Amino acid sequence: MLSLLTGLLLSSSGAQALPEDTTWYLIPNSSFDTDDGLGFGFRGELQHTDPQLAPYRDAWVLQGFSTFRGYHNYLLRYERLGLGTQGNGRITAMAAYRAWTNDQYYGLGGDLPLVPDYLGDFDAEDLRRKRYRYTLIQPHIRLTWLSDIPGPLRIFASSGLRYSEVRTYQDSLLEEQQPFGMDGGWNLQLQGGLQLDTRDREIDPRRGLLLEISGRYNPPIPGGAGVFGGPASSLRGYLPLGERGVLAGRLMGEALFGEIPFYELNQWGGAVQTVGFGGYMSLRGIRYGRYRAPGKAMLNTELRIDALRHNLGGKPFVWQLVPFVDLGTVFLDGSEFPPLHTALGVGVRPIYDAAFVGRMDLGFGRDFVETDAGVEVRWTPGFYLTYEHLF
């Protein structure tokens, strides 16, 4: 929380020395994520505004972050609006390096109880602490074009190139099972889709919906890590409840077919990159990557309540209280009746100048542990301090 407020004060004080159409923030980020641990880094954004374009004309984002549990995320992103002959095109270019030296793998499927012998705190040299762990390194670049077409419709297309390197630990479950994708390699991902957007605004919308239907395909390339693809869809909806409340929901689903690397089962297709079945971008309170299968679906619901409003540096500052419920399932893994996974919790969202959104979520998810008496249901906590609304 302190890092968020420090960055907002920096942005509000520094804006006075810049042109009126320029806003920025620089945030020294120290945060804790239940899956990735305590981390430190920074995030900076520079925006140029335009009365004819929302939420801005162009924006640069630079981020560096790493944790004591071995998660690293370095990103440079540029976004430009108002392109094309009609001024309705948008381009986003991104280069990123992500590495999980302590990533989680619990097997393939949606009905996988944990073994209690491998849960708990162990000494650094104890191999049990690495049973559900491995290392995944993924540098990648991505270019996305999005353009309006008549009415509230728009189309998007993207291409991305990513390299994956997998390293296992001795006696780990991944080393034992050896699923497809152990050799890593290159993925050239081609995506395209159609969107229907009636939201009143992109950042912290209060009403409307965003419907997206898309597909992705990874063609055969030299050194490629599998040939696969499939359709995806998502629906985000926002219903105002009085002056201070919004009921928000997101429904997502995807089905992949072909030779699919196991780590791709933890990625979602679509115009906006989403990762994990479990964790800070999907089911809060369920372990990141807890379940994997070629098909996956989830429903997130949030009640966003403006609990406190005031000014900071002459600009509006809103504190939202956000109770939430997350539901999800994975399928196409041979299970006749895929189980439904549940998580619930509450969050706090500081929103500055209707442009910056901080997110602090505490969730509890239902998990399954194999015991002598059978499979036991346990609630596991998850805490996430990050940026932007979940959707």
Side-chain angles (χ1 to χ4, degrees), residues 156-231:
F156 77 89
S158 71
S159 62
L161 184 64
R162 178 169 59 215
Y163 180 79
S164 300
E165 181 180 347
V166 176
R167 302 173 186 171
T168 61
Y169 297 110
Q170 182 182 348
D171 295 333
S172 67
L173 183 63
L174 182 62
E175 183 182 62
E176 177 184 305
Q177 292 190 349
Q178 294 285 312
F180 183 78
M182 295 295 295
D183 294 333
W186 293 95
N187 282 117
L188 174 62
Q189 188 163 112
L190 307 176
Q191 292 195 86
L194 179 69
Q195 293 183 342
L196 170 65
D197 191 356
T198 66
R199 296 172 298 175
D200 57 343
R201 58 194 185 202
E202 285 190 32
I203 300 175
D204 190 31
R206 314 293 289 191
R207 66 178 68 246
L209 60 84
L210 173 61
L211 171 65
E212 177 178 300
I213 300 174
S214 65
R216 58 170 164 154
Y217 176 60
N218 282 44
I221 60 173
V227 179
F228 62 92

Side-chain angles (χ1 to χ4, degrees), residues 359-370:
R359 177 157 66 92
M360 294 161 285
D361 288 342
L362 174 63
F364 295 88
R366 292 174 69 247
D367 207 343
F368 304 92
V369 178
E370 187 177 296

Side-chain angles (χ1 to χ4, degrees), residues 126 152 232 331:
D126 195 324
F331 53 94

Side-chain angles (χ1 to χ4, degrees), residues 111 330-339:
D111 187 11
V330 298
F331 53 94
L332 298 181
D333 61 344
S335 300
E336 186 175 357
F337 300 105

